[in-house]
Amino acid sequence: MPCWIAFDVRDAQASNGQLTQPPAWLALRFTSRVALHEEAVLMEISDSLRLWGGQASLVRQLRACLESAGFSVQHVVQGETSLQALAMLRIALAGNALPQLIPRDLPLHTLSALRPHVAPLAHMGCNTWGDLQALPRGGVARRFGASVLQALDRALGKTPHGLHWLALPEVFDMAVELPALADAGPALLHAASRLLQAMQSWLQARQQGVLAFEFSWKHDLRRFDGVDLPREASLSIRTAKPTQDMAHLRRLLGERLERTTLAAPANQIRVRIHQSASLPHVNANLAFDSAAPSAGMAWHELVERLGARLGAHNVQMLELQDDHRPEAMQRWHPASEERVANAPAALNSSPHAMDARLLPAWLVRPAKALSLRGGKPWHHGALRLLCGPQRLEAGWWEESDGAGDSAALAVRDYFVAHNDAVGLVWIYRERLPRGKNDGAERCRWFLQGIYG
């Protein structure tokens, strides 16, 4: 037997009823047969009752889903047909008690097609669906038209009610007109909350998380102070992981808007998703309580928020390099840039690799050239070599200088050295190629690191 649900949604912050589809998008999680009809959302749930544990359980979970998204559901009613459910919802919204016999005792005004004929039918003593059904069909058709009988037959389930089933758009792209001109970022952020909520409904219905979206606004003026203005301006927001957390996205957008000066007042805003990805399903834990929220903020959310506030290039992340040269073992890149997580090879896996236990706490960048006095390296006094040498030869794979030698080729002997003035330092002797004239190997000394 068909089973229909009708419910209404109240959203005090949505202006002029512009955001009508988001609650219906959430209803698609419970059944694929959802329709927007007049003032209600209609759901055919006969094929979904067993999946959701019965009608009471489905209605309870539907309410919880809508309320968690910020929508207020006043009434959820059930009927054998879509129009019966809609009629009972209208009675509940009017604050009246439902009749005992359904559909026979349903008032005529609860069916939209009968509203123009309620007064003449009442003069005939016909006030309910049952009274109208008892009248001769030929006389009703001649007096009020065949459309009245057709509407009654659809309401009673004798003929099908052709509804347009709701389908999610492939791409989320929604714009709304602002009730008043916005001349600053905080005003745009307040208006954007409704679009972000709609985006969350779309993501939840598709079981996806957003990775990149664009927030744009249209200028009310085309020319300001003698300067031509662009039709619109926009901000792009990216996240490290797919997310449906609109609180986090609102914080990111707020940080960007606080540092944005509007060229002119805005009269329309728009949110469009550029990239999204499927969210992994989370299996419930049968042994432990996995519902307890974790304290603090996720690491990637903190990095994204700092990047939005300070600028993407001012938040850097360390990336290890497979290189034995101390100055090339790591490099920094903006945290917003996507990197392939390839772990570098172990730098000390070879028996000839540099012993990490001898690496200093601080590197001198760039390495400082040392002078020689009496054949010994000098740094605030003569340096005494305590440990070494550790030989390093690397960088031959980088671009050459055109003469057959690598410009980055490093051929070094590292030592731990000491004197009373500077304490322990890390120095190296650079071995240069033999000169053309003397044929001897030349050496230069550099300060590379300082121990704590």
Side-chain angles (χ1 to χ4, degrees):
M1 178 180 295
C3 183
W4 287 82
I5 279 181
F7 67 90
D8 69 309
V9 176
R10 291 291 180 266
D11 189 355
Q13 300 184 31
S15 59
N16 302 325
Q18 290 172 323
L19 300 182
T20 57
Q21 289 189 344
W25 290 346
L26 292 177
L28 287 172
R29 298 175 60 184
F30 300 90
T31 176
S32 61
R33 298 178 180 179
V34 179
L36 287 171
H37 186 66
E38 300 186 26
E39 72 270 31
V41 179
L42 302 177
M43 304 168 56
E44 206 286 313
I45 60 172
S46 57
D47 294 335
S48 305
L49 288 177
R50 184 176 180 182
L51 176 64
W52 295 98
Q55 179 184 338
S57 176
L58 188 151
V59 170
R60 183 174 61 254
Q61 295 180 67
L62 175 64
R63 282 183 175 272
C65 178
L66 291 169
E67 290 172 358
S68 65
F71 299 103
S72 175
V73 182
Q74 290 187 336
H75 301 283
V76 180
V77 298
Q78 178 263 335
E80 293 185 3
T81 68
S82 58
L83 294 178
Q84 286 182 30
L86 177 59
M88 289 188 288
L89 177 63
R90 288 169 173 170
I91 293 174
L93 290 175
N96 300 323
L98 293 177
Q100 293 184 351
L101 297 178
I102 297 175
R104 192 188 72 178
D105 292 341
L106 289 174
L108 292 178
H109 66 82
T110 58
L111 191 59
S112 299
L114 302 182
R115 286 177 177 175
H117 312 292
V118 169
L121 286 172
H123 286 298
M124 299 170 55
C126 179
N127 298 297
T128 65
W129 292 13
D131 296 339
L132 179 59
Q133 187 181 19
L135 294 178
R137 293 179 64 88
V140 172
R142 288 191 299 271
R143 178 77 181 271
F144 302 104
S147 60
V148 170
L149 294 177
Q150 294 172 358
L152 183 62
D153 289 341
R154 286 195 297 269
L156 297 176
K158 296 181 178 180
T159 59
H161 183 196
L163 292 171
H164 296 285
W165 300 119
L166 183 67
L168 282 173
E170 290 298 321
V171 178
F172 179 85
D173 187 353
M174 183 173 288
V176 294
E177 298 288 338
L178 299 180
L181 294 180
D183 56 1
L188 288 181
L189 180 63
H190 177 74
S193 299
R194 313 314 307 155
L195 288 180
L196 292 179
Q197 187 179 86
M199 181 171 70
Q200 183 184 45
S201 301
W202 185 88
L203 291 170
Q204 289 178 345
R206 295 184 69 94
Q207 300 182 8
Q208 290 189 336
V210 64
L211 282 169
F213 72 95
E214 181 186 73
F215 175 77
S216 61
W217 58 93
K218 285 188 176 181
H219 295 137
D220 185 59
L221 302 175
R222 299 304 302 273
R223 189 176 178 85
F224 185 72
D225 287 341
V227 178
D228 291 333
L229 300 178
R231 180 57 179 156
E232 65 178 20
S234 64
L235 293 174
S236 295
I237 306 295
R238 297 192 64 88
T239 62
K241 297 180 180 179
T243 182
Q244 296 179 355
D245 186 358
M246 292 303 113
H248 173 56
L249 295 180
R250 191 177 188 276
R251 285 194 297 266
L252 293 181
L253 183 58
E255 297 286 356
R256 296 286 300 275
L257 287 174
E258 283 184 3
R259 299 186 291 110
T260 301
T261 302
L262 303 188
N267 58 14
Q268 185 187 85
I269 59 174
R270 179 184 184 185
V271 171
R272 175 171 46 190
I273 290 181
H274 287 310
Q275 185 179 4
S276 62
S278 298
L279 285 177
H281 294 280
V282 179
N283 294 325
N285 194 329
L286 298 179
F288 305 99
D289 182 13
S290 59
S294 58
M297 183 184 300
W299 171 252
H300 72 278
E301 292 184 0
L302 174 62
V303 171
E304 292 165 4
R305 188 174 181 185
L306 289 176
R309 174 177 296 183
L310 304 176
H313 291 279
N314 293 325
V315 181
Q316 303 282 320
M317 292 186 66
L318 180 66
E319 182 179 13
L320 296 179
Q321 303 296 310
D322 193 2
D323 200 314
H324 292 291
R325 290 169 293 178
E327 68 274 13
M329 285 182 176
Q330 62 190 28
R331 67 178 176 181
W332 297 87
H333 64 84
S336 60
E337 295 182 4
E338 296 183 2
R339 298 281 175 162
V340 179
N342 291 329
L347 296 179
N348 298 301
S349 58
S350 169
H352 303 291
M354 186 173 295
D355 190 351
R357 294 173 297 177
L358 297 179
L359 296 179
W362 294 277
L363 290 181
V364 178
R365 289 180 177 269
K368 181 180 179 180
L370 300 177
S371 60
L372 285 176
R373 297 188 184 182
K376 293 184 178 181
W378 183 276
H379 183 53
H380 299 287
L383 292 172
R384 183 165 56 95
L385 305 183
L386 301 180
C387 181
Q390 286 183 300
R391 181 150 294 183
L392 179 149
E393 186 171 346
W396 65 86
W397 54 85
E398 297 187 359
E399 294 183 2
S400 64
D401 58 3
D405 296 328
S406 173
L409 176 62
V411 183
R412 306 169 184 171
D413 293 331
Y414 278 89
F415 298 86
V416 178
H418 176 269
N419 67 25
D420 294 337
V422 299
L424 292 173
V425 293
W426 201 42
I427 65 175
Y428 68 84
R429 178 179 60 198
E430 185 181 50
R431 295 183 288 112
L432 300 176
R434 297 179 182 272
K436 294 182 179 180
N437 297 326
D438 54 12
E441 189 177 53
R442 296 169 295 157
C443 298
R444 293 187 302 178
W445 291 85
F446 292 86
L447 173 65
Q448 180 81 75
I450 300 173
Y451 294 92

